[in-house]
Structures are given as structure tokens and as C-alpha cells.
Amino acid sequence: MKKLIRQSRIFLALMIMTFAIGILGTRLLWLQAHAAFAPDGDKHGAVTRSVAQRAKGAVLDSGRGTIVDRNGEPLAGIPIRSLLLLPVQSGFPAHEKIVELARIIGVDPAYLENTWQSLTQPGLWLEPGGKAPIELTSDQDNRIQALGAPGAIPVDAVRRYPRDGTAQQLIGFVAEWPERIQAAYSDRLQSGALTAATPIGASGLELAFDRFLQGIGTSAVALHTDNRGQPLSGIGIRKTVVDNAYYPLQLVSTIDKRLQQRIEEAADQSGLTSGSVVVLDARTADVIALVSRPQFEPNVAHGSKGSWRNHALVSITPGSVYKSVIAAAALEEGVVSPKEHFFCDGDYGKYGLTCWKEGGHGHVTFEEGFAQSCNIVFAQVAERLSAAKLKKYAEAFGITGRVGWSGTSSVDGKALLHFPEEEAGTVFAKGAGTIDGGVLAQTGIGQRDVRMTPLSAANWIVTLLHDGDALTPRAASEIRFADERTMEKYAIRQLSSPGSGLSSGTADMLKSMMVKVVEEGTGTALKRAEWKLAGKSGTAEVTVQGKPFVHQWFVGYGPAESPRYAAAVVFERRPPNSPHAAITLFKEVMDVLAEASDP
């Protein structure tokens, strides 16, 4: 009898448990099948409640690939220590701690307190402008930690661009660009890896290598909240980190950060506000330094504004620096010799062409006319050459077209340009009709339709140093995985086929003439430089909005006996008859290079 009662009780307990499980299962089924599709107005639907639980946070690292100089020094994607502020639900820091924290980071206490109290999610303290996180010094880091203010935490973060703006135009910037994302990354948009608001490369190396620099995820500090904005119990603050052995990638540029900074400083001290400086390795044509002015703030740059334009890649009138190209072509064709005599009285007598020197240079040889940059001499010599010959040599020397490194990536088989914004150079206008003597004469002095970029001008000097064999300048040497293994290298390449330019004899004559420019011509101010230098000056006449200006140029190399660097310096839109600032800055640039090259 007792056994029967016990069995009955067990059976009843099982029935109750089965019934309870059935009710629970029915409830769960209802939640999935009914509550999940509750109308928008039902704020208690399961999906609505689930979506309302959000992870609000601060991005510490976007995951975008880094850019470094040739020695591994960071140029973009710079690790820093920064200040993270958390929303404090209760126990807000005492006023005294707010005041001390404000003193440490150098801001107004009231502003700090008001900003902090208004936070609804974690946030890095940003510099004025609201785009880049502040960088804490080690002293600030230690003082903040010692202060112990609740919700104020020093953290590891990544700042995209340096505060000093090193190599701004070469590096470029990232920005929201919905149209390009749709056109170039539609597959990543569809997969959700990108959104229309994801910042992508908009200029410079950021644009050129954008498809490789895009990361695979962000590192962030998140605050998980419910639909009322309250922190979820047991979750609260969490840090998410992308841990991948291969990403983010690292782009190794060709520039030397230390030299870049010193040359930028020299450019700014010289008063360069519109123009550029390009320094190339004389052996490889690699870009060692590239300065473009005016400056811009990459953290707030926008595609509709032009201050980020790289002036080293803009094709402008070269003026008399183009006489070096005319001289090379004329000497190679044998239509002139260095010792041939000319007479300049200041007026060519036709085409309205005059010499820059009032009264002229008198009796001069061709090499003296080159050193003194005589317009009359070069107008005559240019008329001895045909338009076809001028085009031929300009193309062989890399004057026309684009000279920057171009090729196909072995990673994805797509085209790759190191300087995507580079403009093409020209000798004659596209679609020009009959090219008469007047056009040839104006072309001979680097006016009329002649256009060169400072990059191509510096590269022309490298071409001359290689006896007319043109190389193609690189801005980057390789891309590496995060573990520093090489993903892809960019080899030094010829721009034109070897032997298509000058004979070594012609190259030697022209280099000797460039030395005379410094010794006894328009560049005598360079005799005080640390190295013996060689080159060619230029003053191009231009009209901007109806007003006359000049572009002041100097292109050359140093040291003259054993060239290490070729450079082009351009001051744009200077007042006519103003001191030739490009010659002065060329000397300063070469002195920086000479000092850095000392053992």
C-alpha cells in the first residue's frame, strides 16, 4: 500500500513538471512567433526590447592600416595614450577632482564638467575641432591615474594623423565618400563590411592604397545599455579588440620622416605659402621628401575644399627651367654646340618676344646663354628643332604624361598608382593646329603651352643623371602584414625604355652647363651652400584672374661631383620682380641634406 502511494506521488509530480514545461514552451513559442512581430507601436515586443539594448562606445582604433616612413617611423595610424571618459550614473567625481583633471589636460573646469555630465556613452576627449583624440604625455597619464577620478581612464588609442602635419599632402586623408564606396566597394557594402558613411581614402597614399589599408574591424570600449539607457547588470563596460596576425596592414613609404620635417621647417621659414618642394633619391628616383603648401588639417578635410591639393602634382608653367630640356634636345640633335656664339640685345625682333634682361646679354656662347637664362638664345635654338623633335624628347624624358609609379598589384590584379592625383605634363596644347616659329620660340623658353609638375621636374634631373634613362618615382616600397612579413613589393622601374633619351656625352655637357649656372649664372647665391651644387633657375610669367604673377623655380642636384639628391623647388604666384625665393630655399634644402649625410 505504501509503495502504491509513493508511485502515485511520483506520477503526480511528473505530471506537474510536464505541465509546467509545456506552459513554458508555449510561452517561448508565443514570444518568437507573435511578440517578435509586434507592431511598431508596441514598445514591449521582444525584438523591440532586444534592439533597444545597445552597445554605445568609443572607438580606440579604427583598424585602418598604418603608414610609416622608410625607417619604420609612423606617419599615419599613430599609437598614443589618450583620455577616456565614461558616463557616471551615480557618484560623479567631486568638484575638486574635476578641477584637477581639467588642470592636467589644460581645459576649463566648467566645460569639462558640463561635457562629462552630458555623456550617454564612453568617449575619448578630443582636441578642438572634435576629430582627433588628445595625446597624453607620460606625466599626464601618471597624474590622471593617481587622481583616481571615477570614469576618467587613460587608455591606449590610435590617432590617425600626427599633430605636426608631417607630409600632409603626400599621406592624404580619409573622408566619407558615398559615391566612391558604391562604385568601388559595392561587394563590401552588400556584405555589411562597409557602410555609406565609412571613411575611405580621399587623397594621397590614403587614396592610392585604400583597398589595402581598410581594416577588418575596430577596437572599442562599449557601454551596454537597455532600452532605457541604463547599463545592463553584469555587462557594463567592455573592451572589444580585433586580434588578427595579418591585419591591419602596414604601408612602407619611401620618405625619410626626419628629413621631411626639417625640409618642411625650412620651407615655412622661407615664406612658402603656395608651392612645393620635391626631393628625390638620385639613384632610384624615390621620393625622399615632398612638401606642399598651403597646409591643411587632415582630420577635418573635405573633398569640396582644395587646401589639401598636392601642389607637387599640379602641372604649371615651368618658365626657364624648361631650357634644360631644350638644351638637351638641341645638343643631342647636333643643332647647337656649347661654344656657339649668339647675340642678345634684349629684343628677338619678332613674335613680341623679349629677354628678361633689359638691354640684353650681348655676345654670349650657348653655355653662357644657358647660365644667364637668355631668352633670345633659346628662342633661336628652339626654332631649329621641329615640333616632332620637341615632342619626342619631352616624352623620352618623362616631361609629358605622368611620371609617378604605376603598375598592377600582384595581390588583386588591379591597377595601382602611387600618385593618383598627378596631372600630366604638356609641351603643346591638345589639338593645336600649325605649330609655327612663334610657338616654337615661346616653347623654347618654357612658356605658352608648356606645363610640368614639380615631381616631373625633379625626375627630369634624375633622368639627366642617368644619361637620359627615365625612372619612375615611387612613394612606397612595400606593404607588410601586421607580423611584418612582406605582402607586396614595388620594384624600382624604368619610365621609358633604356637608351631612348640622351647619349652620355650630351648628358655630361648639360651637367657641366648646370654647374656653370651656379658658378657664374643666375644661381650664384648657391655657391655658399654646404655642397657644390648644379641646376637651373626659372621664372614663369602667369596671369591669375587678370593679374600678373610669376612662378619661381629652381631644379638641380647635389653634390655636383657625386649626386645623391635631385630636387625641385617652386614658389607659385609671386609678385613680378620679387626676389627669387626658390633659389634661396633650394640652398636651405640642400644644406639640410648635406648635414644629414655627414658621417
Side-chain angles (χ1 to χ4, degrees), residues 15-94:
M15 289 296 292
I16 293 172
M17 291 177 63
T18 301
F19 182 71
I21 292 173
I23 291 175
L24 180 59
T26 301
R27 173 62 176 170
L28 290 174
L29 181 63
W30 182 86
L31 286 172
Q32 292 184 17
H34 178 76
F37 299 101
D40 291 342
D42 183 359
K43 299 304 180 185
H44 302 287
V47 171
T48 303
R49 291 197 299 270
S50 176
V51 172
Q53 295 175 356
R54 303 180 182 277
K56 299 179 179 180
V59 174
L60 304 180
D61 182 359
S62 69
R64 189 170 177 83
T66 60
I67 302 175
V68 300
D69 83 337
R70 58 174 46 211
N71 301 310
E73 292 293 318
L75 297 169
I78 303 159
I80 64 170
R81 288 285 283 177
S82 194
L83 175 62
L84 178 71
L85 296 180
L86 306 176
V88 180
Q89 302 298 321
S90 60
F92 196 75

Side-chain angles (χ1 to χ4, degrees), residues 60-237:
L60 304 180
D61 182 359
S62 69
R64 189 170 177 83
T66 60
I67 302 175
V68 300
D69 83 337
R70 58 174 46 211
N71 301 310
E73 292 293 318
L75 297 169
I78 303 159
I80 64 170
R81 288 285 283 177
S82 194
L83 175 62
L84 178 71
L85 296 180
L86 306 176
V88 180
Q89 302 298 321
S90 60
F92 196 75
H95 181 71
E96 292 76 13
K97 291 199 172 186
I98 297 289
V99 171
E100 180 59 24
L101 180 60
R103 183 181 295 112
I104 293 172
I105 62 176
V107 298
D108 178 67
Y111 175 68
L112 172 61
E113 186 170 7
N114 292 336
T115 302
W116 197 350
Q117 287 182 332
S118 66
L119 289 179
T120 59
Q121 63 186 51
L124 291 172
W125 187 260
L126 304 180
E127 292 181 343
K131 290 291 183 179
I134 63 164
E135 181 175 1
L136 298 175
T137 65
S138 58
D139 178 64
Q140 288 174 315
D141 189 340
N142 293 333
R143 289 169 64 190
I144 292 172
Q145 292 192 58
L147 180 63
I153 308 170
V155 294
D156 292 324
V158 172
R159 180 189 175 101
R160 188 64 196 164
Y161 304 112
R163 293 191 66 183
D164 60 12
T166 300
Q168 288 175 338
Q169 278 86 351
L170 179 66
I171 295 169
F173 67 99
V174 295
E176 294 181 12
W177 196 345
E179 297 83 4
R180 184 169 179 271
I181 286 182
Q182 184 62 53
Y185 302 116
S186 57
D187 55 335
R188 300 199 69 187
L189 273 175
Q190 293 174 1
S191 69
L194 294 177
T195 71
T198 301
I200 61 174
S203 74
L205 294 176
E206 295 277 31
L207 172 61
F209 293 89
D210 183 60
R211 64 185 187 266
F212 301 120
L213 293 174
Q214 289 178 15
I216 58 173
T218 63
S219 296
V221 171
L223 175 66
H224 295 262
T225 64
D226 60 20
N227 63 326
R228 294 171 297 176
Q230 298 300 313
L232 290 174
S233 177
I235 301 180
I237 302 295

